Amino acid sequence: LSKEQLISIANEYGSPVYVYHAEKIEEQLNKLKNAFANSNAKFFYACKSLTNINILKLMRQYDANLDCVSINEVKLGLQAGFEPNQILFTPNCVDFEEIEAGKALGVHLNIDNISILEQFGNRFGNTYPVCIRLNPHIMAGGNFKISTGHIDSKFGISIHQVRHIERVVKTTGLHVAGLHMHTGSEIKDVNVFLQGLDVMFEAS
């Protein structure tokens, strides 16, 4: 967008005004799609970054999936036109009722602590698949506040608790459909991702 276009928009709609470049968003998403063209990779828009429903509808139009961290984000995604199987619900430190609400809406669930995992397994057994979010104990990210995979992070079940996960799965019959990991944001070192993959492969 040129300076002249932005000034024209401000003159028409007043300021402050937020302007989003749909074509640029599509261009960035297509870079990811093209990079993984020969795979079955799926891309999820983390709607916590911006929950403007028009942006959500745009991402739906561009065939992206949706990552949500609260039940209200899940509901907004459904309102924007996403199907339940296109939504990944990854809450942190929420009541079990919010997990149940996600299940009732039929979305994919990520569970990130042993207590919730055990409650879910005891309540639902193998009737509803879940993913487990692991904490890989990797320090990475632009700064400490956006580093989510280090040993002191509240996000995810420690990789040192894999035996506890196995115990819960065995005793409850829980259906584990996948593993999830997030080490942080603004990561510029590709080795962080390779290290994370090593942890994932070992855990699986």
Side-chain angles (χ1 to χ4, degrees):
L1 293 173
S2 68
K3 181 174 70 174
E4 290 73 23
Q5 286 175 300
L6 294 174
I7 291 173
S8 175
I9 291 170
N11 288 336
E12 181 174 354
Y13 295 99
S15 63
V17 59
Y18 292 90
V19 180
Y20 303 102
H21 196 324
E23 291 81 4
K24 188 64 176 180
I25 293 172
E26 183 180 26
E27 178 187 327
Q28 295 298 94
L29 182 58
N30 283 336
K31 286 181 182 179
L32 287 172
K33 290 180 178 180
N34 292 335
F36 292 86
N38 296 319
S39 73
N40 59 355
K42 294 181 180 180
F43 299 97
F44 290 75
Y45 170 64
C47 70
K48 67 180 179 181
S49 61
L50 178 64
T51 53
N52 182 308
I53 194 166
N54 293 303
I55 295 297
L56 299 186
K57 289 178 178 179
L58 190 68
M59 299 308 291
R60 174 69 190 92
Q61 179 183 324
Y62 293 158
D63 201 30
N65 296 275
L66 197 63
D67 179 71
C68 302
V69 298
S70 74
I71 196 64
N72 286 330
E73 287 182 359
V74 170
K75 292 176 180 178
L76 193 60
L78 293 170
Q79 186 179 343
F82 286 90
E83 297 296 329
N85 65 2
Q86 295 174 311
I87 297 176
L88 181 63
F89 181 29
T90 311
N92 176 252
C93 299
V94 299
D95 290 336
F96 187 68
E97 288 73 18
E98 194 160 332
I99 302 290
E100 288 183 298
K103 174 188 175 296
L105 292 172
V107 299
H108 297 291
L109 293 175
N110 271 333
I111 296 180
D112 76 341
N113 72 72
I114 291 289
S115 174
I116 294 291
L117 191 68
E118 195 160 23
Q119 289 180 66
F120 195 92
N122 287 330
R123 188 74 172 273
F124 302 111
N126 66 354
T127 62
Y128 197 91
V130 297
C131 292
I132 296 174
R133 180 174 183 173
L134 296 175
N135 180 330
H137 296 188
I138 297 173
M139 175 61 79
N143 60 65
F144 185 78
K145 290 185 178 180
I146 53 175
S147 297
T148 57
H150 57 85
I151 192 169
D152 294 319
S153 173
K154 66 177 182 175
F155 298 101
I157 301 173
S158 168
I159 53 173
H160 297 319
Q161 292 183 295
V162 170
R163 288 186 181 274
H164 296 290
I165 295 172
E166 292 173 345
R167 174 185 57 78
V168 172
V169 172
K170 184 176 180 179
T171 56
T172 65
L174 188 70
H175 179 187
V176 179
L179 298 176
H180 176 88
M181 182 183 295
H182 182 245
T183 51
S185 301
E186 296 181 13
I187 297 172
K188 299 176 182 179
D189 181 3
V190 69
N191 289 316
V192 169
F193 299 105
L194 297 176
Q195 188 179 352
L197 283 172
D198 286 340
V199 173
M200 292 284 272
F201 283 129
E202 184 176 348
S204 60

